[in-house]
């Protein structure tokens, strides 16, 4: 039996359809934003995605969670020739790709903790998005069986436990506990009679692989927790700078030591994760040993299971230290007395930005502004010569009553070694060139390297080529040069030949 529709019904239908299409449009825009910005998607849609995933997994996967920037670039340089021979177009150096991954958010750059007052080295690690992408590719190449009794059992057991624990009726919870006790008593009785058999080897191995599959998602989750903690810290700092009232409750909370980071969603999850891990540490470690003794696993699977708990413990401890450091830095920001000055600077910067936006329609970007700024009492110098203060550094946490250590005596050789880590040793290269010219009358970059190995790897080659372009004579030919990288790998390149005919000043 049909019903007649009215114009009002049609309008309602069109309005509902409009709302639905609006929601779909918003969802599509959100996905497009992820496509353009999320590190996982950026990595997987890059031109050399296959090579990038393999390189990142090889050098930063498994237990190698963090490496210095230079060391990672050297490792990438060592792997690139093999990939090029396999047909991948990778024309740039390892340092170029590392820098590109940092810019895209695939790698996260961090400064290691200070040691004995010395600034820590700059390291990189996989971002949560990169971990997701590597994990996704691993599952595609080695798919886990989706339909297994152990996976279904894990789901059903978890569902049953959740339904019992969340039920508000105490009688229902009691009945569930009695049911579990009856099942446990029956298993105990069968074990006493010797009727219970262990799991078949295939089922035991299947369960172990299921546990490893579930645990494989945790590193990306922990990396995401770190990102959320740092985002929360930035938001707390923004709130501090934007608040201007003397009776600010939020400011008073920070001053009294209220831990807003631990009270955030990421902080609460981290605290619960860490506490549960510590409570079950010894039992879980014993369980891992028993599984390794009784269950037959592939070598890679056994190694992953053996590393599982130490890796989780290290990651949880590191995140806890990160959260504590952020909290202390936030409290120092409040208690140092510098907050009013930072607020004033923020207001001045905002006023300058507002003035610039107001003048933008009338002033061309390249217009010359004839302004004279009076210099203060501080002599101007290069920004590169400034040493930024790190409020979260280890030196800031030293006890106030601790005696100041006497200044250390640093030898000239130690200073020279520190300089060589960041700059090309031009004096050494100039001496090598002059030695060859004095010995044979003329020299090229290849002959210098043949007599004096490149102590700084590729940096020595670049320095020699620079000296050759400045002080040598181009012959119009090419020459092969060979050197060893910092890891001892032989490298080869074809360079334009320049000839040194006189001493290099």
């Amino acid at each position: 039996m049909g019903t007649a529709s009215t114009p009002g019904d049609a309008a309602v239908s069109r309005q509902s359809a409009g709302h639905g299409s609006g929601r779909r449009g918003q969802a599509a825009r959100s996905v497009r934003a992820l496509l353009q910005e999320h590190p996982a998607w950026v990595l997987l849609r890059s031109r050399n995605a296959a090579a990038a995933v393999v390189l990142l997994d090889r050098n930063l996967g498994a237990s190698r969670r963090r490496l210095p920037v230079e060391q990672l670039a050297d490792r990438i340089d060592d792997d690139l020739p093999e990939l090029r021979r396999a047909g991948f177009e990778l024309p740039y150096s390892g340092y170029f790709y590392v820098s590109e991954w940092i810019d895209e958010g695939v790698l996260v750059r961090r400064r290691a903790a200070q040691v004995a007052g010395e600034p820590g080295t700059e390291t990189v690690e996989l971002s949560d998005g990169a971990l997701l992408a590597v994990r996704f590719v691993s599952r595609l190449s080695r798919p886990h069986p989706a339909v297994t009794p152990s996976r279904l059992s894990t789901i059903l057991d978890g569902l049953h436990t959740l339904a019992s624990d969340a039920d508000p009726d105490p009688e229902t919870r009691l009945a569930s506990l009695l049911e579990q006790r009856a099942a446990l008593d029956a298993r105990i009785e069968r074990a006493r009679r010797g009727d219970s058999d262990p799991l078949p080897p295939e089922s035991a191995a299947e369960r172990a692989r299921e546990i490893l599959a579930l645990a494989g998602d945790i590193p990306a989750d922990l990396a995401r927790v770190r990102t959320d903690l740092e985002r929360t810290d930035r938001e707390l700092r923004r709130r501090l700078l934007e608040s201007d009232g003397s009776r600010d409750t939020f400011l008073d909370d920070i001053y009294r030591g209220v831990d807003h980071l631990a009270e955030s969603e990421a902080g609460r999850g981290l605290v619960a994760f860490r506490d549960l891990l510590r409570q079950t540490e010894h039992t879980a470690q014993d369980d891992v040993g028993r599984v390794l003794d009784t269950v037959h696993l592939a070598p890679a699977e056994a190694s992953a299971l053996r590393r599982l708990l130490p890796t989780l413990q290290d990651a949880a401890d590191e995140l806890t230290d990160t959260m504590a450091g952020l909290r202390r830095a936030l409290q120092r920001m409040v208690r140092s007395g510098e907050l009013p000055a930072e607020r004033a600077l923020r207001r001045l910067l905002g006023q300058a930005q507002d003035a610039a936006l107001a003048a933008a329609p009338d002033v061309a970007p390249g217009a010359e502004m004839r302004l004279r700024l009076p210099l203060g009492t501080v002599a101007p110098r290069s920004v590169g010569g400034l040493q930024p203060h790190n409020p979260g550094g280890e030196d800031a946490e030293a006890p106030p009553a601790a005696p100041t250590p006497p200044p250390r005596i640093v030898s000239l050789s130690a200073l020279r070694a520190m300089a060589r880590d960041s700059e090309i040793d031009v004096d050494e290269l100039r001496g090598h060139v002059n030695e060859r010219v004095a010995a044979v009358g003329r020299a090229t970059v290849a002959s210098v390297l043949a007599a004096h190995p490149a102590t700084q790897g590729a940096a020595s080659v670049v320095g020699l080529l620079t000296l050759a372009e400045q002080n040598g004579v181009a012959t119009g030919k090419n020459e092969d040069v060979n050197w060893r990288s910092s890891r001892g790998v032989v490298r080869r390149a074809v360079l334009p030949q320049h000839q040194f005919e006189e001493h290099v000043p």
Side-chain angles (χ1 to χ4, degrees):
M1 185 175 185
T3 57
S5 62
T6 64
D9 295 334
V12 170
S13 299
R14 286 194 299 272
Q15 186 176 10
S16 300
H19 286 311
S21 61
R23 288 192 297 268
R24 290 190 292 272
Q26 180 63 33
R29 285 192 292 271
S30 300
V31 173
R32 183 175 59 187
L34 288 176
L35 172 66
Q36 298 171 348
E37 301 172 4
H38 197 282
W41 219 330
V42 169
L43 175 59
L44 292 177
R45 66 192 290 264
S46 61
R47 179 179 180 183
N48 294 310
V53 168
V54 171
L55 290 172
L56 292 172
D57 187 28
R58 168 182 169 82
N59 294 290
L60 289 174
S63 59
R64 297 180 299 274
R65 298 172 46 245
R66 185 179 295 112
L67 284 175
V69 175
E70 294 78 7
Q71 186 176 350
L72 177 60
D74 285 344
R75 287 175 176 265
I76 299 298
D77 279 331
D78 293 341
D79 294 335
L80 286 177
E82 180 180 352
L83 292 173
R84 288 167 181 155
R85 289 193 297 270
F88 290 93
E89 186 178 350
L90 300 165
Y92 303 110
S93 66
Y95 194 84
F96 173 87
Y97 294 114
V98 171
S99 301
E100 186 177 50
W101 291 330
I102 292 174
D103 294 339
E104 293 173 346
V106 174
L107 294 179
V108 178
R109 180 166 45 189
R110 304 189 189 281
R111 176 70 65 177
Q114 296 184 358
V115 178
E118 299 293 335
T121 58
E122 190 177 59
T123 63
V124 287
E125 60 188 71
L126 293 176
S127 66
D128 57 333
L131 286 167
L132 286 174
V134 172
R135 179 75 173 158
F136 173 73
V137 173
S138 176
R139 286 179 173 176
L140 290 180
S141 58
R142 296 186 298 274
H144 184 76
V147 182
T148 59
S150 61
R151 173 166 294 194
L152 180 59
S153 176
T154 300
I155 295 173
L156 296 180
D157 290 345
L159 180 62
H160 180 72
T161 302
L162 173 62
S164 301
D165 294 344
D167 197 316
D169 186 1
E171 295 296 332
T172 305
R173 294 199 303 274
L174 177 60
S176 177
L177 291 173
L178 291 174
E179 179 184 350
Q180 294 177 28
R181 187 172 71 176
L184 184 58
D185 289 340
R187 291 182 59 186
I188 293 174
E189 185 61 30
R190 288 196 301 270
R192 284 175 177 170
R193 296 196 306 265
D195 296 339
S196 60
D197 297 325
L199 279 175
E202 297 80 5
S203 300
E206 179 188 309
R207 287 196 184 183
R209 295 187 188 101
E210 190 64 41
I211 292 172
L212 290 174
L214 292 173
D217 295 328
I218 293 181
D221 295 338
L222 293 176
R224 191 159 49 250
V225 168
R226 179 193 283 272
T227 302
D228 292 342
L229 287 174
E230 293 173 344
R231 185 184 301 111
T232 303
D233 177 69
R234 290 193 296 269
E235 177 63 22
L236 294 175
R237 290 175 177 271
R238 185 190 63 79
R239 287 180 59 186
L240 281 175
L241 292 176
E242 290 182 352
S243 61
D244 53 3
S246 59
R247 301 190 177 210
D248 192 332
T249 304
F250 176 65
L251 178 62
D252 293 341
D253 288 345
I254 298 295
Y255 191 85
R256 292 197 309 269
V258 176
D259 194 350
H260 287 272
L261 284 168
E263 294 176 355
S264 66
E265 181 179 357
R268 291 194 302 269
L270 173 59
V271 171
F273 179 89
R274 179 200 60 197
D275 292 345
L276 179 60
L277 190 60
R278 288 179 177 176
Q279 292 170 7
T280 59
E281 175 181 358
H282 297 294
T283 303
Q285 193 64 49
D286 292 341
D287 292 340
V288 168
R290 292 166 58 192
V291 169
L292 292 175
D293 291 339
T294 58
V295 180
H296 179 69
L297 297 173
E301 295 170 341
S303 177
L305 186 61
R306 190 177 295 107
R307 293 195 314 264
L308 176 59
L309 288 177
T311 301
L312 295 181
Q313 290 164 353
D314 292 344
D317 291 342
E318 182 181 351
L319 280 180
T320 301
D321 293 342
T322 297
M323 186 169 64
L326 293 174
R327 182 189 68 248
R328 291 192 296 266
L330 198 64
Q331 291 174 356
R332 282 194 300 271
M333 178 181 177
V334 172
R335 297 175 179 176
S336 64
E338 299 176 357
L339 189 58
E342 294 186 11
R343 287 174 173 173
L345 178 60
R346 182 182 179 88
R347 286 194 297 271
L348 291 174
L349 290 175
Q351 293 172 6
Q353 290 175 347
D354 293 341
L357 290 174
D362 303 320
V363 180
E368 182 179 359
M369 307 296 290
R370 295 185 175 276
L371 298 176
R372 298 182 64 86
L373 298 177
L375 294 178
T377 57
V378 179
R381 54 180 174 156
S382 170
V383 177
L386 300 177
Q387 178 65 35
H389 169 63
N390 179 13
E394 295 295 328
D395 56 340
E397 296 305 315
T404 302
R408 296 186 304 161
I409 299 177
V410 181
S411 65
L412 180 60
S413 59
L415 293 175
R416 184 177 290 114
M418 292 173 60
R420 281 173 57 86
D421 289 339
S422 58
E423 298 181 359
I424 298 175
D425 194 344
V426 180
D427 291 339
E428 177 190 65
L429 299 178
R430 188 183 294 112
H432 292 169
V433 171
N434 292 337
E435 186 274 332
R436 283 286 85 198
V437 172
V440 298
R442 62 185 61 186
T444 64
V445 172
S447 64
V448 172
L449 287 175
H452 301 282
T455 59
Q456 291 182 290
S460 297
V461 181
V462 173
L464 283 173
L465 185 59
T466 303
L467 289 177
E469 292 177 346
Q470 295 173 350
N471 303 278
V473 178
T475 64
K477 302 178 182 179
N478 293 332
E479 62 177 351
D480 291 346
V481 296
N482 298 277
W483 72 95
R484 289 184 179 273
S485 69
S486 59
R487 297 177 63 190
V489 179
V490 177
R491 302 287 178 78
R492 173 182 174 273
V494 179
L495 302 178
Q497 188 182 65
H498 292 74
Q499 192 161 266
F500 296 100
E501 299 178 350
E502 299 177 352
H503 279 64
V504 176

